[in-house]
Structures are given as C-alpha cells and as structure tokens.
Amino acid sequence: MARVVVDVMLKPEILDPQGQAVQRALPRLGFEGIADVRQGKRFELEVEGPVDEAALARIHEMAETFLANTVIEDFTVKVDGEAR
Amino acid sequence: MARVVVDVMLKPEILDPQGQAVQRALPRLGFEGIADVRQGKRFELEVEGPVDEAALARIHEMAETFLANTVIEDFTVKVDGEAR
Amino acid sequence: MTLDTVKHAGETPDTDQPWAELGLKPDEYERIREILGRRPTGAELAMYSVMWSEHCSYKSSKVHLRQFGEKVPANDAMLVGIGENAGVVDVGQGYAVTFKVESHNHPSYIEPYQGAATGIGGIVRDILAMGARPVAVMDPLRFGAADHPDTKRVLPGVVAGIGGYGNCLGLPNIGGEVVFDACYQGNPLVNALCVGVMKHEDIHLAKASGAGNKVILYGARTGGDGIGGVSVLASETFDSTGPAKRPAVQVGDPFQEKLLIECTLEIFREDLVDGIQDLGGAGLSCATSELASAGSGGMRVELDTVPLRDSSLSPEEILMSESQERMCAVVEPGKVERFMEICEKWDVIATVIGEVTDGERLEIFWHGEQIVDVPPRTVAHEGPVYERPYARPDWQDALQADDANKLPRPATAEELRAQVLKVVASPNQASKSWITDQYDRFVQGNTILSQPEDSGMVRIDEETNLGVAVATDGNGRYTKLDPYTGAQLALAESYRNVAASGARPLAISNCLNFGSPEDPAVMWQFAEATRGLADGCLELGTPVTGGNVSLYNQTGETAIHPTPVVAVLGVIDDVERRTPIAFAEEGQLLYLLGDTAEELGGSAWSQVIHDHLGGLPPKVDLGREKLLGEILISASRDGMADAAHDLSDGGLIQALVESCLRGGKGARIVVPDGMDPFVFLFSESAGRALVSVPRSEELRFTDMCGARGLPATRVGVVDGEEIAIQGQFSIPLAELREAHEATIPALLV
Amino acid sequence: MTARVGVITFPGTLDDRDTQRAVRIAGLEPVPLWHRDKDLQQVDAVVLPGGFSYGDYLRAGAISRFSPVMEKVIEGAREGMPVLGICNGFQVLTETHLLPGAMLRNNHLHFICRDQKLRVENAETAWTSDYEVGQEISVPLKNIDGRYVADERTLDMLEAEGRVAFRYVDVNPNGSLRDIAGITNEAGNVVGLMPHPEHAVEPLVGTGRTDGLGFFTSILKKLVSV
Ligand SMILES: Nc1ncnc2c1ncn2[C@@H]1O[C@H](COP(=O)(O)OP(=O)(O)O)[C@@H](O)[C@H]1O
Ligand SMILES: [Mg+2]
C-alpha cells in the first residue's frame, strides 16, 4: 500500500489565527528568528492498489471538493513512498 | 528566507477520530480504495537567516517542547527550500 | 500605476471607472460625480460603492423600515432607537439592555463554518460598541430540505462555526431556531442575535466630535480578506460576477475578539472614549464615514498608519477590507496614553490613524497625498433611496384558495396516533438537542433558561435577581401565505414565548430575510411584512429598536419564503419566578388558555402529512396575545403556574409532547366537549398556551382568567408515563422520546 | 479570616468570574491573578479556570503553560499548594506535566455541553474531601478537547495509586480512556477535571444543582483547619 499526503493550507491572504498565535508565543519561549508561521492540515491517505495517474487524479478531486474548501484554502497532493 | 516544515501527527496507537471521520465520508462521496486516513498538523515556518544545523536543532527543540506534545504526537522537521 | 489622488481626479474627468463592476448603477455614479463636483478617486469610488450597496445603505428597504420609527408605541423604556449599532432599553435598577439580530446568510452558504462564525463575531461587536458587556447569543437558522445532501455540508459547518466562535467568546447560547425547508436550499439563513447589559451611564454612541480628538483603530491587523464581501456577498445573487479578486470570505479569530471585548470593557470602565464604532461590513469605509457623519466636524485619516497583515494592499482595498475583530474609537488626546496601555495589557494592537477636524469633510491620505475628500454624510447616511415597484403576485390568490382545512384527515384514532408520531418526529418538530448541545449554555453562570425552553433567560443582577428573557421566531410558511399576517404571527409567537417564561415583553429587534427587491412580488411581500410588523408593534406596545435586512436570498427566479425573524426582549424582576416548560409535578392540572379554531393553513401537520402549503395562516388577535401575556406573567409572579408552554407550530400536541418529555412525566388529556380531536391536537390557532397549575392554585388561577375574560379550559392532568388522549390513543413517553430525539442525529451523522 | 484562593485569568479564559463567584459562595476569598503576574499574592490555593486560553490554538493549554504565573504555580504545586484545574485548567496542567496524560479532540469531534454524571473515586484530595468515595454528582460539562488519553502504563499506575479522582457515569461524553473525568497527582494537592463544578453551586442557574460546591467547601475546610 502506498501513502499519499495531502497538505491543506489557508491561502496566503487569509488570516491564520492559529499560526499567528504560535508565532507570537515563540519569542516568549526563547525562539527568535521565525518571521512567520502558518498552520495547516496534513492528511495521510493509505491507498489500496497502484498510485497511478488515475488514482492521483481522483485524490486531487477529493482534495478539491472535500478535504479543502478552495474558497479559503490551497492544497498539494504528493506521493510519500511506501507506507510504513 | 527559507521555509522549514514541521509535520505533527498523532502517534499511531492514538485514536484519530478526525482521520476516521474523513475516511468514513469518502465512500459516500464516491471515493473508494482509501484504506486509512490520518489527520495531523503542518506548520510552515519562515526562518530568518541561514537554515544551518544550529537553526535546525533549535527548530527541533521547538517542535519537541512546543509544537508537538510528545505524549501523544510524533513530528518531523524538514527544509522546504526557498520560501515563495 | 499612479496613485489616483483627489488632485489627479480633478484633472482627469474623463477617466473610465469600474463603477458598474463595483455594483453601482449609472445614476448612482452620476450622483457621486454631482456630490463631489468631479469624478471620484478610486478610493472614493470604493467607499461609495460599498456604502451604497444594498447591505449598507438599505436603499430598497428604507422607505418601508421608516414605519418602525413612525408607528412608535408609547413606551418609555427605549433609551436608544433605530440607527445606532443596536437599540437600548431600560430594564430598571439603572440597567440598560441592548440586543440585535443580524444575518450572515450568503457567506454561510459559501463557507459554512467561517460564515457563521463571523456572523456571531459581527453582532457581538455591535453590542459591545454600545458600551455593553455581551451576555448571551442566539441563532435563528434555516436550511434546505433535511435530507438534501448539501444540508449535510451546510448545517454541521454552520453549527460548528456558531459554537466555535460563541463558545470561545464565553457567551452562553440561550436559544434560536432550526427550520428545514426546500426553499432555503441554496440560501440558508444564518441569523445571529446578541444581548448585552450595561448601566445607563455607560451607553456609548458611534459619533466623532471634538476637533483634535484622536481616531484609534484597534484589534486585528487589516488583511485582504472579505474585500468586496459586502457588495458581492450581501447584495447580489451568486451568479453575478463581482469585483472579488481577493477572497470574499473572512476567517474569524474568536480569541482576538475575546481580547477585544475585555479590552474595550476596561476602556469603558475608565471612561476613555468619546465615540466608538465596530468594523463590520465595509470595514474602515463604514467606520470612518459613519463616525464622522454622526458627529460634528470632519475627520482626517492617514491610511498608511493602518497596521496591515499584507503589505501589498492598495488604499482602496484597505478601505474596503472586512477583516474581522477590529474597532474604531474616538479618544481625547489626554486619554490616548491610558487607552494604549490597556490595549497593551490585552495584547491588542492599537494605532492612532487620524483625528477629528473642525472641517466638514472626511479626508483620507496615502503616502502624503489626498485620496479621499468627501462630505461623510453623503457616504454614510444619504445614500440612494429606492421606491421599488411592488405588486401582489398573481399566484397569491390561488395559493390562498388551496385550503389546508380541506386536506384529508385521519379517519381513525389509530391513524391520528400515527400522525402524531410522524409530526413530532419530523425534522422541523424534532428535538434540536444534537445541535444545541454543541453550544455552551452555562458559561458566565447566569443562565436561568436556555434551549429547549420557550425563551432564553439570563440573570443580570446577582443581588436583586433582575433578569431578561429573549425569544426569536419566524415562520416563512405563514408569511408566504399572507405576509402581513405572517409577520404579525412571528411577532405574536415571540412575544408569547417571552411571556410564557414569566417575563414582560419590552422591545423588538428583527431580521428581515427576503428574495430580490427587484422582483415586485418579493417587494410586495416585504412591504406587507414590514407593515404588519410595524402595526403589530404599535398594538402590542413594543417598539422596534433595531434590526437587519437581508435581500437577494434567492436562486435564479426563485426566492425563499419571505422570512421575517422577530426577536422579543422581556424583563423579569425576579428570575426565581421564571416559568419553565417542563411538566414535572404529578397531579397538577393542565389548562389550555385561548381559543382553538380550525386553522391548519401553513401548519406543521399540512407540511409533514401532505407536503402541502396553501390556504390562510392562523388569524392574529394581538389584543388577545397581550391579555394572554398578562395572565402568564401574573401566573408566574404569583406562583399560580409551575410550568407553561406556548402553542405554535405543531399545535397542542407538540407543546404537550415537549413539556412532558422535558419533565419526564406523562399526561392524561380530555378532548373538550364538541371539539374535533384532530383539530384539538393539530390546529395552530394563535394566542394559546398550555399551563400546569398546582391544585391548590386552581381556583385563584381560573378566577383570574375569568375576571380578565381569557378562555381557560381544563384539558387534563400531569400523570403517568404516557400521553393518553382519552377516547383516542395513548403513546408511552419512551416511544415519543425516541421519535422526537432520533431524527436529527440520524440525518446528520 | 478565611482562606484566599487565587483564580488565574489567561487571555481567553472564560470561567474566571464564575469561579470567583463559586469561591465566594463557599465562603472563601477569591483573588484574581493575571497571567503575567510574577507572584501569587500569598494565596493559599489556586484555581485554573475553564475557557479557551490563547484560543486553544496549537493545543488546548499549550501556550498558557508558558505564562509567567505558571512558573509560580508549578513551584507552589510541587511544594504542596492546592491547585485545581477545571477544563482548560486541566488541559494546562497536563501540558505542564503536573498531571500525566493529555487531552485530545472528543471522539465525536463536536463541542458538547451537557449535564454530566460523575462518580467520585478519590475523596482524599485537597479538593474532594467533602465528597464520599462512590458518591455520584452531576455537574455541567462543556468542551471540545475533553478526551483524556495516556499510555497503558500510566493508566494502570493511576488506577493502582487511586489517582483517578472522577469517572464519567452512564455516558462517556468524549471517549476518555477508562471513563476518566479527572485525576490527581500523587500528593493529592493537584486535581484536574474536565467538568465544571463552578457551574453547579447555585440552585437558580445552570442545571439547578449545587453538586459542585463540594470542591470549594473541601478546600475551605482544608485551608481553614490548618
Ligand atoms: N439553533 C438554535 N440555537 C439555540 N437554540 C435553539 C436553536 N434552535 C432551537 N433552539 C431552541 O430550542 C427550543 C425549541 O425551539 P422552537 O420549537 O423553535 O421553539 P418555539 O416553537 O417555542 O419558538 C427553543 O428553546 C429554542 O430556543
Ligand atoms: Mg415556544
């Protein structure tokens, strides 16, 4: 079985309160030098059968219609090699 | 500025109801053949200055003490190349 | 691109401008040119276009809404009326209460979670801007057919968004509505209400005065989200292509808003602001022009000082951005330092962006050059006003002639029993606890009543037990059948709900959800409904203190049912005297107050059993509603009733089932002589309530009703583990509970 | 003279005023503490109230645990000062590792607000001595990250040492392992639980029960008798 990873991030122009909260906390914890933090979601999908173009196209569609709301989010799909 | 990505996933033995909910919904939406889904967090950090070993070590520490709760979560740190 | 300055605009009168894309009509653009004596700059055009949009200017509805100000009942409780961020009423003991209901319909369809969340955020800031601590929220909601696949997307997202935002702010959710109807399929209605409490002397207004006073923007940074949101999302139908090159949906940050609330309340406590305004639709355009317009003098703003989240924003975009969680305050120079300290304490970013001038213009500068020079009133308060044509639709007669009273009725007691179960299990009549359990109803520790009670009630003074109650109601089916009566029925029901809890109704807020005002049939519905509501308020003695209009709720040619949602606020001197809906005391007597006629038009029964909408809605008698209210309030105050539940959709049987399930006790019911059991159970005649009276109080109670001329019929007794309708059927509580509670979870999980 | 109980307000804390009220009703003196405070103003005990501190962003309680005031709380707790964490406060206590385990999203993924029945499993902590072991109480529960998890070894240890303080009865509202609603540290001075006793102290509001008052009367007795 292969693993496909879908990363979903808020579009750059959309407010990311979570990322901001993390970034604001960092200096207090003694971590300097991080100019920006964005927080998103990572989906790890275990795919049965071959991860061919057709499968990736389907996962792409799934990401577009379900995993992400493209009004506010961008996503990327990538094959992660063999699942552990 | 370079981007470093920290992925945080629940440990395999911890129940992930969010991933499960996604997986359960897939067949209803017409997506078959996904054996498992896990949902985690992705942090994109924009790092000022060089991403050398020292910087990565600091980010590793940040992930371990703050971005992840290692009682329940695993994490990985990787450099994502130049930030856009 | 060169900056479009005021000077440049004067020199280039013939430059083409995208006024049409921004939603302006040719004559509106002409009027702007007339006002300014030149073409507007890009920034001015942006401001006028958002402020003159339907959503901000009320240009189609204004002529009708005027009645709320003209037909004002004698009521000295009103401290601040229509026109401010929210109305304010005096509830005694030096307390003032402000409340308002608003819509966030279209954004919630596009992005259910964030759309609904920012709907709560927006109304809470309105209440805060009046000087009040927000103390509760409510959420009247309407979705498409319960079994439609898209409802599975929209409803859970909306509910999670309302909960996610409201829970995080620490505001108890004390009530609302959930209605399903295919007419809302592409146009769910997400209305949100907030109640706030303050002392009289804390009331604040949105006005800028005192030359030299500073204008401070505080809260979140301004980003590129929600630009064009106002004009595109709230005013136009979806298929029209708007100017939104940036996303028109905003993401809310409830944590930031919580800080904003606490920070603002601390600023009020130290009396540091002269005028204050929240930033909602139309962002800075709205806040600056409204503050300046309502005050004396002008205002000068340096736009470069606005803290940005995205440095690539143009000045036009900064003016239009609807980034959430921002407020604008006018502060005397001597108080600025302390103001800033408090903001710092709460980690809230605050920036002086300008000052009040002794001129008459709103002037905005960018990189040292002037890009806006306008009379603020022309932006904020003197927008276009339309007398849209309206006409009673030609189908109205046929609809009313399709009489629901003639529908086939159950032939046997067994069939009647089956229909009872079917109605109480139908999505609109079923328990909504799957939804309302996702809302915190306990936070702040003052919740006296919350869902599924008739009204939400909170204590506002711990020493004296003074409290307020709020209920919201609307019935699109009734209103479709007869808009004038439908609006009055919504008012009557909401009024009745407040009174049934033991509180004295004081004031009204409303949210008018309709289709396109460009359709004369819709405009007629709107005109009739506002007339009905205004007349009703006059008769009941409860002024309208504010509200909101949401138009263009339609898909193609098809509008939603006209859906005025009416919120009634009441006061109760001692919350210990509140009346819950639960029938909990075995042996108590059940009295039906009011008259039951054969009225099935628009009823739950006609919808569930026959999928039918036709005939006339129940008749309204507001004099009777008032009398009923007085009786319910007296019964509560003098301890004559232990429980009361108003009758509305679903009729007597629905109220009975809810009260029995809530109390965990059954009832034995006798059908009054000469009454048809079916009509008795399912008719939706208005002006009725079911009351549980202790035997020791029976005489006193019936004497009171008799003396005041309110029909009171003894219909049964609280008893046992089932609802038994004598001579007809009985249903065990367990079976009723299963039917009533299983429906919604089954639809959504 | 009665005892002084500090109630901490983090940015985003919601139930601080409610907790102060509960403390007052029990006859104690509430002392508001601010997250930036560097000392505890000589309070005798501390409550970390519910809410969404820092919006619960990242993880519930994750950011608050680094507040200046928490250093003093951790110090005090180690020296035996009674500390109670309610809901978000419990989450902060697990993030600081004053209590073991972690809190995760409810198994049904929804916020849940309900009147929750609990069984008292340990009536010897600083905050539970007014209850009896096996006693069932009802208090409001309201959270979205209320699922208690820990590894098997930790769970076994908690059980063996009697450190499960409260268990959910009838309904496990969030998938917490072994129905755990609240736990205590070894010494019994630090207690954390998800349900909200401070919302069950007056007959008039909320669910109309006063089952939660015992937390505050327990601490009153403890502090005033020493
Ligand atoms: N979306 C909601 N949010 C909060 N409370 C709700 C919601 N929907 C319904 N309720 C509550 O459920 C109860 C029953 O609602 P409903 O049947 O519409 O009341 P009524 O018919 O008496 O106006 C009321 O207490 C109402 O406030
Ligand atoms: Mg009611």
Side-chain angles (χ1 to χ4, degrees):
Chain A
M1 235 175 342
R3 172 176 298 165
V4 175
V5 173
V6 180
D7 286 323
V8 177
M9 302 296 292
L10 285 167
K11 286 180 197 274
E13 61 273 28
I14 297 271
L15 175 71
D16 172 15
Q18 311 210 60
Q20 284 196 351
V22 170
Q23 194 205 345
R24 271 202 301 268
L26 289 177
R28 270 192 284 124
L29 310 184
F31 299 107
E32 304 285 343
I34 305 293
D36 191 25
V37 179
R38 305 280 292 172
Q39 180 176 336
K41 295 177 201 156
R42 175 185 168 89
F43 296 93
E44 296 183 354
L45 315 176
E46 306 300 332
V47 182
E48 288 164 353
V51 181
D52 48 19
E53 267 193 31
L56 280 176
R58 269 174 40 242
I59 291 173
H60 199 277
E61 193 198 331
M62 181 198 300
E64 180 148 24
T65 54
F66 179 55
L67 297 180
N69 179 353
T70 53
V71 175
I72 52 172
E73 293 167 324
D74 292 330
F75 65 90
T76 59
V77 176
K78 54 178 185 283
V79 184
D80 196 42
E82 287 310 297
R84 281 156 282 183
Chain B
M1 234 171 348
R3 172 175 298 166
V4 175
V5 173
V6 179
D7 287 323
V8 177
M9 301 297 293
L10 283 171
K11 287 180 195 275
E13 65 271 24
I14 302 255
L15 176 71
D16 171 17
Q18 285 176 307
Q20 287 191 347
V22 169
Q23 196 204 346
R24 269 199 309 269
L26 291 178
R28 264 194 283 125
L29 304 174
F31 300 107
E32 304 285 344
I34 306 292
D36 191 24
V37 179
R38 306 279 293 172
Q39 180 176 335
K41 296 176 200 160
R42 174 185 169 91
F43 298 91
E44 296 183 355
L45 315 177
E46 306 299 330
V47 182
E48 289 163 353
V51 182
D52 48 18
E53 267 195 29
L56 280 177
R58 269 174 43 242
I59 292 174
H60 199 277
E61 192 199 331
M62 182 197 301
E64 181 148 25
T65 55
F66 182 52
L67 296 181
N69 178 349
T70 53
V71 174
I72 45 172
E73 293 166 325
D74 294 328
F75 66 90
T76 60
V77 176
K78 55 178 186 286
V79 184
D80 195 42
E82 288 308 297
R84 282 155 282 184
Chain C
M1 222 189 77
T2 57
L3 187 64
D4 194 13
T5 62
V6 171
K7 182 156 164 284
H8 183 244
E11 292 162 359
T12 54
D14 301 326
T15 303
D16 261 351
Q17 295 194 282
W19 49 268
E21 289 87 332
L22 287 166
L24 288 167
K25 300 284 183 279
D27 51 326
E28 292 173 345
Y29 179 63
E30 253 336 288
R31 225 190 105 207
I32 297 169
R33 295 189 67 124
E34 239 166 72
I35 290 168
L36 298 176
R38 57 172 164 79
R39 75 162 175 87
T41 65
E44 289 166 341
L45 189 64
M47 290 185 83
Y48 278 106
S49 72
V50 280
M51 291 302 291
W52 286 13
S53 69
E54 186 65 58
H55 182 67
C56 292
S57 72
Y58 290 84
K59 57 189 168 193
S60 302
S61 54
K62 225 174 205 166
V63 292
H64 300 284
L65 299 180
R66 273 188 198 133
Q67 298 168 81
F68 296 145
E70 288 157 7
K71 302 177 184 170
V72 195
N75 178 318
D76 43 19
M78 188 135 90
L79 299 173
V80 175
I82 297 176
E84 281 292 332
N85 285 310
V88 183
V89 285
D90 176 15
V91 296
Q93 300 180 13
Y95 285 102
V97 170
T98 176
F99 75 123
K100 189 178 170 195
V101 55
E102 257 193 8
S103 69
H104 228 219
N105 303 340
H106 290 173
S108 302
Y109 178 67
I110 297 179
E111 211 320 296
Y113 186 98
Q114 295 296 344
T118 52
I120 295 285
I123 189 66
V124 168
R125 284 193 300 282
D126 270 326
I127 294 308
L128 179 63
M130 295 308 299
R133 173 177 282 281
V135 297
V137 294
M138 299 174 96
D139 59 332
L141 308 176
R142 281 158 182 81
F143 302 100
D147 55 1
H148 192 287
D150 200 44
T151 302
K152 278 200 176 63
R153 171 187 73 96
V154 177
L155 186 149
V158 164
V159 169
I162 288 168
Y165 206 101
N167 295 339
C168 190
L169 289 188
L171 294 176
N173 185 310
I174 58 171
E177 298 168 79
V178 181
V179 176
F180 301 93
D181 194 300
C183 76
Y184 304 112
Q185 201 63 65
N187 295 276
L189 303 184
V190 175
N191 293 176
L193 176 147
C194 183
V195 196
V197 177
M198 67 199 128
K199 290 290 192 156
H200 285 200
E201 59 272 21
D202 293 332
I203 296 175
H204 280 76
L205 300 178
K207 60 171 178 48
S209 41
N213 284 349
K214 301 298 178 193
V215 178
I216 300 181
L217 177 66
Y218 67 111
R221 289 172 182 277
T222 299
D225 43 359
I227 290 174
V230 163
S231 47
V232 177
L233 288 175
S235 299
E236 305 293 333
T237 41
F238 284 122
D239 38 40
S240 81
T241 44
K245 55 185 196 297
R246 306 235 185 211
V249 171
Q250 310 108 44
V251 167
D253 180 354
F255 171 57
Q256 174 72 247
E257 179 122 326
K258 169 69 178 167
L259 298 184
L260 205 53
I261 293 173
E262 297 304 332
C263 172
T264 303
L265 290 173
E266 199 163 324
I267 285 164
F268 288 150
R269 267 200 301 277
E270 298 196 17
D271 196 18
L272 299 178
V273 297
D274 259 29
I276 186 158
Q277 168 75 308
D278 60 296
L279 272 74
L284 267 176
S285 294
C286 178
T288 53
S289 64
E290 284 194 349
L291 280 168
S293 172
S296 54
M299 184 184 288
R300 181 190 163 102
V301 171
E302 305 286 342
L303 212 52
D304 310 70
T305 54
V306 171
L308 299 182
R309 213 169 68 227
D310 170 356
S311 57
S312 74
L313 292 184
S314 70
E316 292 84 355
E317 289 174 321
I318 297 171
L319 283 169
M320 291 171 88
S321 165
E322 293 183 5
S323 286
Q324 300 289 296
E325 293 96 21
R326 298 178 297 164
M327 304 278 284
C328 199
V330 177
V331 181
E332 288 169 23
K335 293 179 173 174
V336 170
E337 191 184 335
R338 182 62 192 140
F339 186 102
M340 295 296 179
E341 274 171 17
I342 295 176
C343 289
E344 205 279 324
K345 169 181 169 189
W346 288 99
D347 287 323
V348 169
I349 299 173
T351 316
V352 174
I353 61 164
E355 63 179 42
V356 180
T357 63
D358 52 15
E360 287 174 349
R361 314 282 288 187
L362 170 60
E363 301 173 87
I364 300 181
F365 293 80
W366 177 252
H367 296 345
E369 304 216 55
Q370 185 163 15
I371 56 169
V372 172
D373 180 13
V374 297
R377 283 201 69 78
T378 65
V379 180
H381 291 112
E382 289 164 3
V385 176
Y386 290 164
E387 296 263 5
R388 299 243 191 225
Y390 56 88
R392 188 171 195 268
D394 42 19
W395 44 258
Q396 196 76 34
D397 285 338
L399 182 68
Q400 294 186 344
D402 182 13
D403 189 356
N405 288 346
K406 300 203 176 108
L407 293 167
R409 299 178 181 185
T412 62
E414 203 164 318
E415 217 182 307
L416 182 59
R417 181 187 195 274
Q419 294 194 352
V420 164
L421 278 168
K422 204 164 168 198
V423 168
V424 300
S426 65
N428 282 340
Q429 308 305 316
S431 163
K432 303 303 184 313
S433 60
W434 184 88
I435 290 164
T436 57
D437 282 356
Q438 297 184 48
Y439 304 147
D440 186 346
R441 54 185 176 271
F442 298 119
V443 65
Q444 294 198 5
N446 285 314
T447 305
I448 304 294
L449 296 174
S450 60
Q451 50 273 14
E453 297 289 338
D454 274 345
S455 70
M457 185 182 289
V458 291
R459 175 176 67 180
I460 64 177
D461 189 297
E462 288 178 40
E463 303 297 314
T464 65
N465 274 350
L466 180 67
V468 294
V470 187
T472 75
D473 280 294
N475 189 318
R477 285 166 56 83
Y478 290 166
T479 315
K480 174 102 183 222
L481 296 179
D482 179 347
Y484 182 92
T485 306
Q488 294 203 334
L489 283 166
L491 170 66
E493 186 183 345
S494 194
Y495 184 97
R496 203 184 309 135
N497 273 314
V498 165
S501 302
R504 188 161 40 85
L506 270 189
I508 308 296
S509 179
N510 65 88
C511 189
L512 305 173
N513 306 276
F514 288 76
S516 166
E518 293 162 37
D519 176 348
V522 170
M523 215 47 225
W524 174 78
Q525 294 173 330
F526 188 83
E528 284 294 288
T530 44
R531 192 170 63 85
L533 188 53
D535 289 349
C537 289
L538 186 59
E539 193 170 348
L540 286 175
T542 47
V544 174
T545 63
N548 177 247
V549 176
S550 172
L551 300 176
Y552 294 100
N553 293 290
Q554 67 179 58
T555 311
E557 296 293 293
T558 318
I560 59 164
H561 290 342
T563 312
V565 169
V566 180
V568 172
L569 176 108
V571 62
I572 180 166
D573 294 330
D574 180 359
V575 291
E576 216 170 330
R577 302 248 57 107
R578 83 235 177 263
T579 313
I581 65 167
F583 296 163
E585 297 299 326
E586 199 108 12
Q588 289 200 347
L589 304 168
L590 296 178
Y591 271 86
L592 173 62
L593 305 181
D595 285 314
T596 306
E598 192 166 313
E599 294 186 293
L600 296 158
S603 65
W605 173 81
S606 70
Q607 181 179 34
V608 176
I609 305 298
H610 295 287
D611 190 18
H612 176 272
L613 177 59
L616 290 172
K619 281 190 260 329
V620 190
D621 176 348
L622 294 173
R624 173 57 72 77
E625 292 289 352
K626 216 167 160 172
L627 175 60
L628 173 69
E630 282 164 15
I631 296 279
L632 289 167
I633 294 161
S634 299
S636 138
R637 190 190 49 227
D638 298 338
M640 288 182 266
D642 273 11
H645 197 1
D646 82 298
L647 267 54
S648 58
D649 44 342
L652 177 112
I653 189 65
Q654 179 72 22
L656 187 62
V657 167
E658 288 172 0
S659 287
C660 285
L661 289 179
R662 182 90 170 140
K665 291 280 184 316
R668 270 185 292 123
I669 300 294
V670 183
V671 181
D673 278 349
M675 174 76 74
D676 175 319
F678 161 79
V679 172
F680 177 62
L681 295 181
F682 281 123
S683 165
E684 297 188 2
S685 294
R688 297 183 303 159
L690 194 56
V691 180
S692 177
V693 179
R695 284 180 188 266
S696 59
E697 301 299 322
E698 182 179 19
L699 214 55
R700 209 153 64 105
F701 182 74
T702 51
D703 278 356
M704 170 176 71
C705 295
R708 301 214 203 162
L710 182 72
T713 315
R714 182 162 151 182
V715 293
V717 58
V718 179
D719 182 47
E721 302 276 307
E722 58 179 23
I723 290 182
I725 313 291
Q726 205 179 55
Q728 297 294 321
F729 60 82
S730 64
I731 312 179
L733 283 190
E735 189 178 350
L736 283 166
R737 191 179 297 283
E738 171 65 20
H740 191 53
E741 293 178 0
T743 306
I744 302 288
L747 281 169
L748 295 167
V749 288
Chain D
M1 245 258 320
T2 180
R4 289 154 48 84
V5 176
V7 179
I8 299 182
T9 301
F10 300 100
T13 293
L14 304 178
D15 299 312
D16 44 352
R17 296 188 307 152
D18 314 43
T19 304
Q20 289 167 23
R21 182 194 294 128
V23 165
R24 204 178 314 116
I25 288 174
L28 294 137
E29 181 190 341
V31 179
L33 296 174
W34 180 236
H35 70 119
R36 285 187 195 159
D37 286 352
K38 293 202 172 68
D39 78 273
L40 297 181
Q41 300 181 32
Q42 280 107 43
V43 295
D44 305 298
V46 165
V47 184
L48 311 184
F52 288 80
S53 60
Y54 290 97
D56 272 3
Y57 297 146
L58 186 58
R59 289 180 310 278
I63 300 181
S64 316
R65 88 170 228 230
F66 293 103
S67 292
V69 76
M70 281 310 295
E71 271 173 45
K72 296 292 158 192
V73 171
I74 292 170
E75 224 174 85
R78 297 222 162 101
E79 287 161 9
M81 177 183 70
V83 176
L84 174 65
I86 302 170
C87 194
N88 199 232
F90 183 21
Q91 292 158 342
V92 174
L93 292 178
T94 60
E95 284 281 339
T96 57
H97 307 302
L98 278 174
L99 293 174
M103 312 303 307
L104 281 171
R105 183 66 27 119
N106 294 341
N107 58 351
H108 46 77
L109 302 177
H110 298 293
F111 187 97
I112 177 120
C113 177
R114 67 191 308 271
D115 193 6
Q116 177 69 45
K117 205 186 267 184
L118 306 174
R119 189 170 53 243
V120 179
E121 301 279 17
N122 179 336
E124 279 160 28
T125 77
W127 299 93
T128 58
S129 59
D130 253 7
Y131 296 106
E132 275 158 32
V133 171
Q135 186 180 342
E136 292 188 348
I137 61 174
S138 269
V139 295
L141 171 97
K142 50 196 188 80
N143 60 60
I144 190 165
D145 291 314
R147 174 166 53 114
Y148 182 76
V149 296
D151 58 32
E152 287 295 312
R153 230 183 24 157
T154 306
L155 293 170
D156 289 342
M157 174 202 60
L158 288 174
E159 306 260 16
E161 296 177 4
R163 288 171 54 191
V164 174
F166 297 94
R167 248 186 261 270
Y168 297 116
V169 179
D170 294 344
V171 175
N172 179 334
N174 46 30
S176 289
L177 295 177
R178 303 197 193 178
D179 298 333
I180 290 174
I183 56 176
T184 172
N185 68 347
E186 235 180 307
N189 63 316
V190 180
V191 171
L193 80 167
M194 286 313 292
H196 288 259
E198 85 284 14
H199 282 135
V201 295
E202 287 184 278
L204 204 50
V205 294
T207 59
R209 288 207 187 75
T210 56
D211 294 9
L213 201 54
F215 282 78
F216 305 97
T217 52
S218 295
I219 201 71
L220 175 70
K221 278 183 197 150
K222 176 177 175 70
L223 294 175
V224 173
S225 67
V226 285

